[in-house]
Every structure is written in structure tokens, then in C-alpha cells.
């Protein structure tokens, strides 16, 4: 049995828990929109064609923001195709995913869905095949109350009040050679700055995200961020980060430690942004929008036969996640929370069917993937302030990251309801960890009120439509409060809630 210790102290405050950490992403890709959020004729569909079962699970997942409509899709997208009477909407080739886009769902439908789901929309504009004018047009259509051609068009299309979208992504992954309209950092930085400046002429208070690298292994990583920020520093609020992880070559231990890469990624982008800020003599601090992150078996996708036809909503990127994926994802969430001073927004990519926590059958059932659970629990229980915890933990060796701690953790503390929540991952593939918690700084003798654990004897166990709860959080009986101690099984995600005893 491994032993670890950590101290929870409200003095070690990092930042407030940011609701936007719990964002996700809906792209016109595969079955994310069609037979995902939207499927008229489905037994649970409402009068808009939105699946009620997916809406219910989106709410249960605790999603805050949803990025839309892409992703790679946005770089060839004409937003005007998706407005007005459906019968007049064109069918188009979607080059990014080799599909046919029917445009049955467009910006107005998506905004209606966000209101029903209770989430904040985060829009991306096309800086691949389009530019400043089309971004301004979309902004006018979405955010101007009335009295102009495009705002009146929105009203004529059935939406009286502006959509009032606050957060906008200036393109998507423009550093990637796969991106339609791929650009050099200087080219992209120029068009992003021009677009941002013009958008701010409509509304100076928008929150704008410049594209950072589509991964830390990109050959231009670092210099891309520096050049883009040289051009855009004064007119954007955030730089984006994207990262996907998968188990490679049977190295489960390395995979479970993938948040080590994310940690380094965040630190590198923050340092690069601060370096540019220093050179510009700017007091402004650029935030990080980690607006694509997840486990994705990208190598399987890349090695599949390229499609030859142009199907509508084909099943693409439908990864079926197992327990180890959920534990790795939990570790990534812990890292995002630990960096809440710098990561001001994040989007799990994506929401439904496409590398997603929610899966559907067309016309049929919906179920929660294993990865649903750490996200839903973190969104539900993280509140108040993020507290830094530095576990004293046994280490283990990985091929990719060298020595890493077995235990990865973060805490949040809510002064209002006096509740402290510890999120912890045991990365050991073999041994439980007995964790001792020093919480004396919390004042009155706190007790563990609940300990929930997501684990399974088979690290590759999955949920399916037939067995939707095979992998789900269960109460962990192996804890005591005097002293505070909990046993974390190997390959597990854990949520431990601490409160003071009731006042007499
Ligand atoms: O999320 C899937 C794809 O991954 C997105 O479309 C793209 O931005 C990224 O490469």
C-alpha cells in the first residue's frame, strides 16, 4: 500500500473557481449536431427538433459555455447558409470532415438550444476562407438589437432579442496545415488583429480569443504564440490552447500522467504571452482559453481509410471511453483547475457523439460515457476558491514524462457553505494509495462527509447503451475522519468532501 499526504489551507488560494472552466464544444462534425443535439422525430425531441434526452444530460453534465460551430468546420463555413427558411438553405460540401452539410441547424437554432440548455454560447468566426467583413456581419446579426439590415433579418427570421454573444474565437487552429486557409503566424496575426479591431468598433467589451497552437508538438509552437500576440496583444483577451491525449504503445502509466504535458503547455504559453507583454511594455495580462482538450484516439482516426463519398452526419470520431480514459481526463481537469489564475476558460471537445461524454443512438437511447463522470462531478462540486495542494506522494517512472507523482490533486473551498472538496487521481496501475489529509487550517474539526470513487477492476471497462452504469462513481467506504484518511484505489478518480461538524 502506497502512502501520500497533503495539506489543505485556505491561505493557498489560486483564484476563484471559474464556471467557464466547465465549457464544452459543439461542432458540425459527424453526429454531434445531427442525431446529437438535434434529431426531429426522435421520441424525446421538442418542437424545435432538439433531443430532450441530450438536453437533460447536458444540464446534468454541468456545462457552462459551448463553443460553436467549429473546429475545422468553421474555416470553410458560410454562416448565412444556416439562417432563414429551412427549405431555402443550401447543402454544401464540408471539406474539413468530407461530409455534406445540410444547414438544417444554424446560428439561430444553436442559440435557441443554448437557452434551453442554460449554457453560454461561444462563437467562432471563419478566418480560413473568409475575413473581417463576414465576421462583422455575423456579429451584427447576432448582437445588434434592431434597425440595421442584418439585425432586422434576424428579427424577420424569428429572433426578436439579440443573441448577445460575449466570447468570440478568431478562427480555429490556423497554424495547422490541415486547416482550410492555413496561414503563417504573421499572416494570421494580421487578420486576427484587423478582425478584432473592427469587431471592437461594434462592441468594445467583447471577449476575443486569438488562435494559439493546435498542440504543443506543432513545429511552430512557441514562436506561433509570440508572433500572433505581437500583432494582437492590445485587441484580444485570450490565446487558445488545444490538446488531445491517448494511450500510446500500451504505456498506461504515461497516459495517466498526460496532465504533466498540459501543465507544461500552460506554463509555456503563459511565459510566452508575458514575454510579449514585457516587450510591448504592456500591463495587460493575456488569459488562456483552453478551448479544445480531451482524450482522443487520434492515431486511429488518422490511420483509417480516407472517405471517398460525402455523407450527411456520418459517425466520425466516436471514441468509446474506458475507465483509464476517465481517470486521465480527471487528471486534466485537476490541472485546468490548478491553473485557474491563468486558464480563464476551457472547452471539453466535444459534447455529444464526437469524442464526447454523451453518446446517442439515432432514434434511440442516450448514455453517459465514463468520461461524463469526472467532468460532471468537478462542475458540480468545485465552488468558491481553488486551493493549491502539493501532495507528498510516491513517484513512478514514465517513458514520456520521466518521474511523476502517483497522486495528482486540487482542492476548492467555499467559504459560504464551509465546504471543501478535494479532487484526486491515483495514477498507480497496481496499488491503492492511503492519503492522509492535514486540514487543521480549515478551523473547526472538519470531517469527511462523502468520498466518491470512479474505478473498476478492469481499467478498460466501458459504458454502453446496454450497460450504461458499468463505470460510475460509487461511495468509497474506505475513509475515516480522525485523523482524516482515505484509501484511493489504483487507477481512480476521487471526490472527497469535507465539512465542519454541525454547529451546536
Ligand atoms: O475536435 C475535433 C477537431 O480537433 C477540431 O475540429 C479541430 O479544431 C481539432 O483539430
Amino acid at each position: 500500500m502506497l502512502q501520500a499526504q497533503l495539506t489543505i489551507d485556505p491561505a493557498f488560494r489560486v483564484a476563484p473557481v471559474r464556471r467557464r472552466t466547465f465549457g464544452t464544444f459543439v461542432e458540425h462534425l459527424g453526429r454531434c449536431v445531427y442525431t446529437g443535439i438535434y434529431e426531429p422525430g426522435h421520441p424525446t425531441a421538442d418542437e424545435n427538433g432538439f433531443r430532450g434526452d441530450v438536453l437533460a444530460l447536458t444540464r446534468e453534465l454541468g456545462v457552462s459555455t459551448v463553443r460553436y460551430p467549429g473546429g475545422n468546420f468553421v474555416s470553410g463555413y458560410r454562416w448565412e447558409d444556416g439562417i432563414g427558411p429551412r427549405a431555402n438553405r443550401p447543402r454544401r460540401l464540408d471539406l474539413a470532415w468530407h461530409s455534406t452539410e445540410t444547414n438544417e441547424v444554424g446560428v439561430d437554432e444553436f442559440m435557441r438550444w443554448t437557452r434551453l440548455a442554460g449554457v453560454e454560447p461561444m462563437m467562432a468566426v471563419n478566418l480560413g476562407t473568409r475575413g473581417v467583413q463576414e465576421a462583422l456581419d455575423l456579429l451584427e446579426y447576432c448582437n445588434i438589437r434592431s434597425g440595421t439590415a442584418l439585425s432586422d433579418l434576424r428579427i424577420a427570421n424569428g429572433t426578436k432579442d439579440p443573441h448577445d454573444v460575449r466570447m468570440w474565437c478568431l478562427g480555429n487552429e490556423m497554424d495547422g496545415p490541415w486547416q482550410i486557409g492555413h496561414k503563417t503566424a504573421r499572416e494570421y496575426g494580421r487578420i486576427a488583429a484587423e478582425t478584432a479591431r473592427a469587431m471592437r468598433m461594434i462592441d468594445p467589451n467583447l471577449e476575443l480569443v486569438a488562435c494559439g497552437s493546435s498542440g504543443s508538438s506543432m513545429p511552430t509552437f512557441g514562436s506561433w504564440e509570440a508572433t500572433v500576440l505581437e500583432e494582437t496583444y492590445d485587441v484580444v483577451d485570450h490565446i487558445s490552447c488545444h490538446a488531445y491525449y491517448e494511450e500510446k504503445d500500451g504505456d498506461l502509466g504515461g497516459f495517466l500522467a498526460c496532465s504533466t504535458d498540459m501543465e507544461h503547455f500552460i506554463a509555456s504559453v503563459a511565459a510566452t504571452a508575458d514575454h510579449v507583454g514585457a516587450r510591448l511594455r504592456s500591463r495587460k495580462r493575456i488569459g488562456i482559453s483552453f478551448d479544445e482538450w480531451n482524450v482522443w484516439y487520434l492515431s486511429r482516426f488518422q490511420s483509417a481509410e480516407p472517405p471517398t463519398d460525402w455523407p450527411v452526419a456520418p459517425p466520425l470520431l466516436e471514441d468509446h471511453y474506458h475507465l483509464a480514459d476517465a481517470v486521465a481526463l480527471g487528471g486534466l481537469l485537476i490541472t485546468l483547475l490548478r491553473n485557474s489564475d491563468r486558464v480563464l476558460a476551457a472547452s471539453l471537445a466535444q459534447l455529444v457523439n464526437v469524442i464526447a461524454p454523451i453518446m446517442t443512438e439515432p432514434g434511440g437511447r442516450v448514455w453517459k460515457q465514463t468520461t461524463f463522470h469526472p467532468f460532471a462531478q468537478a462542475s458540480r462540486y468545485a465552488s468558491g476558491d481553488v486551493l493549491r495542494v502539493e501532495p507528498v506522494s510516491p513517484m513512478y517512472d514514465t517513458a514520456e514524462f520521466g518521474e511523476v507523482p502517483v497522486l495528482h490533486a486540487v482542492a476548492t473551498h467555499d467559504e459560504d457553505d464551509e465546504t471543501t472538496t478535494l479532487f484526486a487521481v491515483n495514477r498507480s496501475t497496481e496499488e491503492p494509495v492511503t492519503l492522509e489529509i492535514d486540514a487543521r487550517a480549515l478551523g473547526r474539526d472538519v470531517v469527511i462527509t462523502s468520498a466518491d470513487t470512479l474505478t473498476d477492476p478492469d481499467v478498460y471497462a466501458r459504458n454502453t447503451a446496454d450497460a450504461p452504469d458499468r463505470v460510475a462513481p460509487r461511495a468509497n467506504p474506505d475513509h475515516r475522519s480522525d485523523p482524516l484518511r482515505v484509501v484511493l484505489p489504483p487507477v481512480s478518480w476521487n471526490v472527497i468532501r469535507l465539512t465542519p461538524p454541525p454547529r451546536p
Side-chain angles (χ1 to χ4, degrees):
M1 174 91 76
L2 301 170
Q3 311 283 333
Q5 296 93 37
L6 59 78
T7 302
I8 299 179
D9 188 331
F12 302 158
R13 180 180 180 276
V14 175
V17 174
R18 302 182 193 281
R19 290 312 308 161
R20 280 182 175 167
T21 305
F22 305 105
T24 66
F25 180 22
V26 165
E27 175 167 3
H28 284 250
L29 191 185
R31 300 195 305 114
C32 189
V33 172
Y34 305 110
T35 72
I37 64 167
Y38 175 81
E39 190 178 356
H42 185 272
T44 69
D46 66 8
E47 65 284 7
N48 302 295
F50 299 136
R51 279 183 70 145
D53 53 359
V54 173
L55 270 170
L57 284 192
T58 302
R59 292 188 201 106
E60 191 182 327
L61 187 60
V63 175
S64 55
T65 56
V66 179
R67 184 166 173 255
Y68 176 85
N72 297 342
F73 171 79
V74 80
S75 297
Y77 183 51
R78 291 176 252 207
W79 67 270
E80 309 89 319
D81 288 348
I83 59 168
R86 282 214 172 91
N88 301 341
R89 298 189 191 177
R91 290 163 73 91
R92 300 272 190 200
L93 294 180
D94 163 16
L95 304 186
W97 301 108
H98 216 282
S99 306
T100 296
E101 173 55 49
T102 63
N103 283 304
E104 268 177 85
V105 170
V107 62
D108 291 323
E109 287 80 20
F110 175 70
M111 294 300 164
R112 206 166 302 140
W113 181 85
T114 61
R115 281 192 294 277
L116 292 166
V119 301
E120 180 193 352
M122 179 175 169
M123 283 296 287
V125 299
N126 174 356
L127 294 186
T129 58
R130 309 188 106 190
V132 184
Q133 186 59 60
E134 293 87 353
L136 291 177
D137 288 349
L138 179 58
L139 177 58
E140 178 186 330
Y141 185 87
C142 286
N143 282 13
I144 296 295
R145 179 155 291 282
S146 64
T148 66
L150 291 171
S151 56
D152 288 345
L153 181 60
R154 184 198 67 241
I155 295 168
N157 286 338
T159 311
K160 183 168 166 291
D161 290 324
H163 295 313
D164 195 26
V165 181
R166 305 317 308 158
M167 209 164 170
W168 294 79
C169 303
L170 302 167
N172 177 69
E173 293 191 351
M174 300 308 300
D175 63 323
W178 60 86
Q179 201 69 212
I180 307 169
H182 162 59
K183 296 181 180 13
T184 66
R186 191 66 67 191
E187 286 164 351
Y188 169 69
R190 292 283 307 137
I191 193 175
E194 286 165 11
T195 309
R197 249 177 232 116
M199 289 175 81
R200 290 200 186 287
M201 288 176 171
I202 294 181
D203 181 349
N205 298 320
L206 297 174
E207 273 185 66
L208 301 179
V209 186
C211 292
S213 295
S214 46
S216 59
S217 58
M218 293 299 288
T220 50
F221 177 59
S223 65
W224 173 273
E225 281 76 4
T227 306
V228 167
L229 286 173
E230 265 168 30
E231 296 289 343
T232 59
Y233 204 89
D234 291 339
V235 286
V236 301
D237 303 283
H238 312 280
I239 182 101
S240 71
C241 293
H242 291 179
Y244 294 100
Y245 300 97
E246 63 186 303
E247 183 182 342
K248 287 181 202 138
D249 309 322
D251 180 12
L252 180 59
F255 172 52
L256 293 171
C258 62
S259 58
T260 313
D261 176 78
M262 182 187 250
E263 191 87 45
H264 189 244
F265 192 170
I266 293 169
S268 309
V269 172
T272 305
D274 291 347
H275 172 73
V276 177
R279 283 202 340 242
L280 296 174
R281 314 276 187 275
S282 174
R283 285 170 182 268
K284 180 176 171 179
R285 198 168 187 239
I286 297 286
I288 290 177
S289 170
F290 218 116
D291 47 40
E292 285 187 34
W293 68 274
N294 205 345
V295 173
W296 176 10
Y297 287 84
L298 185 57
S299 52
R300 285 182 210 158
F301 171 69
Q302 285 166 336
S303 58
E305 283 294 300
T308 50
D309 55 352
W310 298 87
V312 174
L316 286 176
L317 280 56
E318 298 201 0
D319 285 3
H320 291 266
Y321 293 117
H322 46 59
L323 171 73
D325 295 327
V327 173
L329 182 141
L332 296 168
L333 261 173
I334 287 171
T335 292
L336 290 170
L337 282 166
R338 285 172 65 91
N339 287 280
S340 294
D341 54 338
R342 200 68 197 230
V343 177
L344 308 187
S347 301
L348 175 71
Q350 299 195 4
L351 177 66
V352 51
N353 291 331
V354 173
I355 44 172
I358 301 171
M359 291 299 291
T360 70
E361 292 172 333
R365 297 169 290 182
V366 70
W367 73 97
K368 300 171 190 169
Q369 295 237 51
T370 57
T371 52
F372 184 99
H373 297 292
F375 190 100
Q377 287 191 309
S379 175
R380 180 156 180 207
Y381 294 122
S383 74
D385 291 327
V386 178
L387 304 184
R388 188 159 197 94
V389 296
E390 294 301 348
V392 178
S393 163
M395 306 292 281
Y396 70 104
D397 200 36
T398 66
E400 210 172 336
F401 310 114
E403 288 247 292
V404 294
V406 164
L407 185 77
H408 184 45
V410 69
T412 67
H413 174 67
D414 193 328
E415 237 173 54
D416 294 338
D417 67 7
E418 295 187 282
T419 301
T420 304
T421 307
L422 178 70
F423 302 98
V425 158
N426 177 2
R427 294 166 168 160
S428 168
T429 54
E430 276 159 18
E431 288 186 75
V433 169
T434 299
L435 172 63
E436 280 177 21
I437 305 167
D438 178 346
R440 283 171 296 177
L442 292 173
R444 294 191 297 133
D445 294 339
V446 292
V447 292
I448 295 179
T449 40
S450 68
D452 285 325
T453 293
L454 186 77
T455 192
D456 196 283
D458 175 4
V459 295
Y460 298 112
R462 295 178 160 87
N463 293 338
T464 60
D466 290 328
D469 296 320
R470 160 74 198 262
V471 182
R474 317 241 186 258
N476 177 348
D478 217 347
H479 65 82
R480 46 187 279 204
S481 290
D482 188 18
L484 296 168
R485 174 178 295 187
V486 56
V487 178
L488 314 176
V491 192
S492 65
W493 155 264
N494 303 274
V495 181
I496 297 132
R497 310 259 292 156
L498 302 131
T499 52
R503 287 180 192 278

